[in-house]
Amino acid sequence: MLGLRVLGFVLLLGLAGGAQAKGERAGVFDYYVMALSWSPNWCALEGAAVASPQCNIGQGHGWVLHGLWPQYHQGWPSFCPTTEPHPPRSLTRTMADIMGTSGLAWYQWKKHGVCSGLPARAYYELSRKAYDSVVRPAVFRKLDKAVTLPASVVEDAFLKANPALSREMITITCRKGHIQEARICLGKDLSPVPCGRDVVRDCALRDAVFEPIR
């Protein structure tokens, strides 16, 4: 009897592990978070150290698309199982102009795109459409040297450039004393929507570093 109980327990563990490994169901989510990363800051913190082509002098990257992430009202799915084929390198390369590198485009598909329920090409097309739907404030491209500023100034600039956005629809994040990302919440039709409470975590720094474009 004890042996059967142990066997049953092992089987239950196996089933639980299998269910966990499968991930969330693709296409089932509430809204998107579009993450825009300030490329010069990423390069200053880590990109240059790994010789990312995104950081080559003259590339001119400013706000790049880090990703378009399916989101729940609380939490988010990732690495969802999908029957859609993975994108070929020729497709991921087409995203490098707004994502910095084709490698990032590939990784974002593998982790987040598969949860959208869309084929890879459609996910990238939607990502580009989302990127184009938001005006990136031109003022930051005019910097010729590193400055320090309150993170709230970055949020204010986005709100001024995008009247359809309100403060509950955007959050600015920081990392290691630098402005990191502007994260904007969008519905499945890409119209701005309020972010969930786990997304709105505004950086409170008043002296965050903002590097100029390379």
Side-chain angles (χ1 to χ4, degrees), residues 155 169-173 181-184 199-203:
E155 182 171 303
M169 297 173 177
I170 180 172
T171 190
I172 305 300
T173 67
E181 291 182 340
R183 296 180 180 177
I184 300 168
V199 173
V200 180
R201 296 176 179 175
D202 282 329
C203 171

Side-chain angles (χ1 to χ4, degrees), residues 46-210:
E46 57 184 288
V50 297
S52 171
Q54 178 179 332
C55 303
N56 291 345
I57 300 298
Q59 285 295 313
H61 290 300
W63 293 105
V64 297
L65 177 66
H66 181 176
L68 184 66
W69 306 333
Q71 189 85 12
Y72 301 135
H73 289 310
Q74 184 172 357
W76 60 90
S78 61
F79 299 106
C80 302
T82 180
T83 58
E84 298 292 344
H86 292 311
R89 189 170 297 178
S90 59
L91 180 55
T92 60
R93 276 199 299 263
T94 66
M95 297 299 291
D97 63 320
I98 64 170
M99 298 189 78
T101 65
S102 61
L104 176 61
W106 160 253
Y107 182 76
Q108 289 300 307
W109 158 258
K110 184 175 69 170
K111 183 176 181 180
H112 299 286
V114 291
C115 296
S116 69
L118 299 171
R121 184 175 297 278
Y123 172 70
Y124 288 140
E125 288 174 353
L126 188 69
S127 297
R128 186 176 291 277
K129 186 176 179 182
Y131 182 80
D132 289 340
S133 73
V134 172
V135 177
R136 278 86 59 199
V139 63
F140 298 118
R141 297 192 67 89
K142 299 176 182 178
L143 295 176
D144 57 5
K145 62 181 179 181
V147 298
T148 59
L149 46 72
S152 60
V153 168
V154 180
E155 182 171 303
D156 288 342
F158 269 92
L159 293 173
K160 183 176 180 180
N162 298 273
L165 291 179
S166 57
R167 293 199 183 276
E168 66 268 20
M169 297 173 177
I170 180 172
T171 190
I172 305 300
T173 67
C174 295
R175 180 169 173 264
K176 295 183 179 179
H178 289 64
I179 295 294
Q180 180 189 31
E181 291 182 340
R183 296 180 180 177
I184 300 168
C185 297
L186 304 169
K188 292 184 179 181
D189 63 353
L190 301 186
S191 60
V193 297
C195 302
R197 283 183 294 178
D198 58 338
V199 173
V200 180
R201 296 176 179 175
D202 282 329
C203 171
L205 289 179
R206 299 190 59 81
D207 57 351
V209 178
F210 208 99

